[in-house]
Amino acid sequence: MTMHHCPYCGTDVRENESYCIKCGKKLPKDMFERLESKSKFNKYWYLPIAVFAVMMLTIGIYYIFQQHQTTEAKDLYKKAEESAVEENYQKASKHLSSALDIKSSFSEAGTLMSFVQTAIDIEDKQVGQAEQHLEKQEFQKALSIINDAENRLTNYIGEAVNPLINKLTDKRSAIKLEQLRYSLEQEPGINDLKTLLWEADAIQTDEASEVAGNIRSQIVDYTFSQASEQLNEKQFSDALLLVEDGLKYAPESEKLQSLKTTIEKEKAAFETAQQQRIEQAINSAEEERKLNENDAIELVNANVERNDQGEVVVKGKVKSVATIPINSVLIEYNLMNGDETLLSNEVYVYPDTLIPDDTGEFEFTHFDIDQKEEDINIKVDRIRWYTDQQG
């Protein structure tokens, strides 16, 4: 039996009682009906609970679905990145399109897609345009296109970008090299050669290094010839300036370094009555030949040829048959066309000092002779030198 309470004093009352046994007040006739209705459980509470459970289940399923979509999109992004590194931009674009279809808010995929589309445009259009300008020898236009393509990549970083940047760098080097070769074909002067040398050194390729070596050789030959002429005229300061300037462009040239040493020695000797020693050396040349069985210097060979630029080049070799070291060996020669003397010249042997049985070489480039080399012969008139015993 269910026990209820008096609504006035709270005393327990039974269903068959009409008055409260404590306070004596009459109990309401419908009290028991109302109390029973309150004690019944409201079945409508099940509805919000069920709705909440369904919502939580839906959210869970959606979360799992989203996680799956994210994982799939990331896998496609990784494949796209690998394809981009391999410069397979079309394949990368397909992977990224699929990733963005799955997850449109995938910002990294969007950024990579932007780069891939730019890379495709650069390879399909700009690189081709640069090649067309290069074929027409429109070097500045070709370089401008390559520079513009590189500027389009400044906002992108990462491993996928590096191969394309390297390709553009190589393309720029190739264009500059072709521009350099074209300039050399125009027979540039010495000042232009110096500028072209800096440009060649700035191109970091083996082919450019070879071209730079050729330019250096031209600068050395020109400098040696001009400085030797100044030296022969006793213009020591001018000769040194020429050689020092040439050494800026060819610091490892043994030919110029030896000439510089010769000029400095000649200058020092001139300042201390070197001219008198030269005259003494000339006067005692015959006597010195008698003291040395085969003379102090033996001419091994002397030839005339033309270099790649068409200038006449005199080359030769001498050997010391003296018994003591000799230095400042000077070769005096005439260039002959039959019996006709075209010109006379002097050139110093390098290295400056020759020890017994040592050999030295001499070389001089003439820039103002038009005859073919087969019509030109060299006649060595005199060889002069100094020894440490003289003076």
Side-chain angles (χ1 to χ4, degrees):
M1 178 178 295
T2 302
M3 184 66 69
H4 302 289
H5 304 279
C6 173
Y8 305 109
C9 65
T11 303
D12 293 340
V13 295
R14 297 180 179 178
E15 291 183 4
N16 57 354
E17 292 178 339
S18 300
Y19 295 89
C20 177
I21 60 173
K22 184 176 182 180
C23 66
K25 291 184 179 181
K26 188 176 181 178
L27 299 174
K29 294 182 179 181
D30 62 347
M31 184 186 74
F32 299 105
E33 295 178 1
R34 285 185 292 166
L35 290 172
E36 288 178 0
S37 63
K38 289 182 180 179
S39 64
K40 292 181 180 178
F41 181 78
N42 191 343
K43 64 182 178 180
Y44 293 104
W45 280 103
Y46 284 116
L47 182 59
I49 295 174
V51 171
F52 178 76
V54 171
M55 289 179 60
M56 293 302 295
L57 180 61
T58 302
I59 291 172
I61 293 174
Y62 179 76
Y63 176 78
I64 294 173
F65 174 76
Q66 285 292 96
Q67 288 294 103
H68 174 73
Q69 294 288 80
T70 299
T71 300
E72 188 175 357
K74 287 183 177 180
D75 290 341
L76 288 168
Y77 174 83
K78 184 176 181 181
K79 291 179 180 179
E81 195 172 34
E82 292 173 352
S83 298
V85 171
E86 297 171 357
E87 300 181 75
N88 191 341
Y89 300 117
Q90 296 292 347
K91 186 176 181 180
S93 179
K94 292 180 181 179
H95 288 315
L96 290 170
S97 295
S98 299
L100 289 170
D101 287 341
I102 294 172
K103 189 176 181 181
S104 59
S105 61
F106 196 169
S107 60
E108 290 87 348
T111 301
L112 184 57
M113 174 63 90
S114 175
F115 161 71
V116 167
Q117 291 173 344
T118 300
I120 292 173
D121 185 66
I122 288 174
E123 284 205 328
D124 293 348
K125 294 182 180 179
Q126 292 186 281
V127 173
Q129 291 173 354
E131 287 287 353
Q132 293 174 3
H133 287 301
L134 179 59
E135 291 176 0
K136 298 177 183 178
Q137 296 181 333
E138 298 172 344
F139 304 109
Q140 291 305 317
K141 290 182 178 180
L143 289 172
S144 177
I145 291 174
I146 295 301
N147 290 337
D148 179 67
E150 285 187 327
N151 289 335
R152 295 177 65 184
L153 299 177
T154 54
N155 293 329
Y156 302 105
I157 57 175
E159 188 178 358
V161 185
N162 295 334
L164 184 55
I165 292 178
N166 292 337
K167 179 179 287 187
L168 292 175
T169 301
D170 292 341
K171 180 59 64 178
R172 180 194 290 104
S173 297
I175 294 171
K176 287 186 175 182
L177 183 59
E178 287 303 314
Q179 183 180 25
L180 187 64
R181 286 171 172 164
Y182 176 80
S183 298
L184 289 172
E185 291 174 358
Q186 311 309 308
E187 299 182 357
I190 185 63
N191 291 329
D192 292 330
L193 281 175
K194 294 173 182 178
T195 301
L196 292 175
L197 177 60
W198 292 119
E199 294 178 1
D201 284 336
I203 304 173
Q204 302 296 320
T205 65
D206 293 339
E207 290 179 323
S209 297
E210 183 177 349
V211 173
N214 182 30
I215 296 174
R216 276 194 180 85
S217 295
Q218 295 183 50
I219 293 174
V220 168
D221 291 342
Y222 181 87
T223 302
F224 187 89
S225 298
Q226 295 298 311
S228 295
E229 289 180 3
Q230 295 293 325
L231 177 60
N232 293 336
E233 296 175 3
K234 308 305 179 186
Q235 301 297 321
F236 303 111
S237 297
D238 292 341
L240 278 173
L241 286 175
L242 284 169
V243 172
E244 289 172 352
D245 184 68
L247 286 171
K248 293 178 183 178
Y249 303 93
E252 298 180 359
S253 172
E254 181 182 353
K255 188 175 180 180
L256 292 183
Q257 290 173 349
S258 178
L259 181 59
K260 180 181 179 182
T261 301
T262 299
I263 294 170
E264 290 172 343
K265 289 183 177 180
E266 287 284 322
K267 181 180 180 181
F270 183 81
E271 292 172 351
T272 57
Q274 180 69 12
Q275 187 60 42
Q276 181 180 357
R277 296 178 62 184
I278 293 175
E279 294 298 329
Q280 292 174 354
I282 294 174
N283 295 332
S284 63
E286 290 298 324
E287 295 178 5
E288 190 168 357
R289 290 192 184 94
K290 295 177 182 179
L291 295 176
N292 295 280
E293 184 177 352
N294 296 313
D295 295 332
I297 293 295
E298 177 184 55
L299 180 65
V300 178
N301 57 60
N303 302 306
V304 179
E305 59 186 48
R306 286 189 183 272
N307 60 18
D308 294 339
Q309 288 71 45
E311 289 87 9
V312 172
V313 180
V314 172
K315 291 184 178 181
K317 181 183 291 187
V318 297
K319 180 179 179 180
S320 171
V321 292
T323 58
I324 57 175
I326 59 175
N327 52 67
S328 298
V329 179
L330 180 67
I331 307 296
E332 298 179 3
Y333 65 89
N334 294 325
L335 289 183
M336 311 292 294
N337 184 4
D339 295 330
E340 179 185 357
T341 300
L342 297 177
L343 58 84
S344 299
N345 193 38
E346 300 176 346
V347 62
Y348 281 91
V349 171
Y350 61 93
D352 178 73
T353 300
L354 299 179
I355 62 176
D357 296 324
D358 200 1
T359 59
E361 297 179 1
F362 60 91
E363 180 179 339
F364 192 92
T365 303
H366 294 274
F367 294 88
D368 53 355
I369 298 179
D370 296 326
Q371 282 82 359
K372 296 180 180 179
E373 66 268 19
E374 56 263 29
D375 299 329
I376 301 174
N377 295 315
I378 182 172
K379 179 182 177 183
V380 177
D381 289 336
R382 183 183 297 179
I383 303 177
R384 291 188 293 156
W385 62 90
Y386 301 129
T387 67
D388 294 336
Q389 294 179 348
Q390 290 175 307

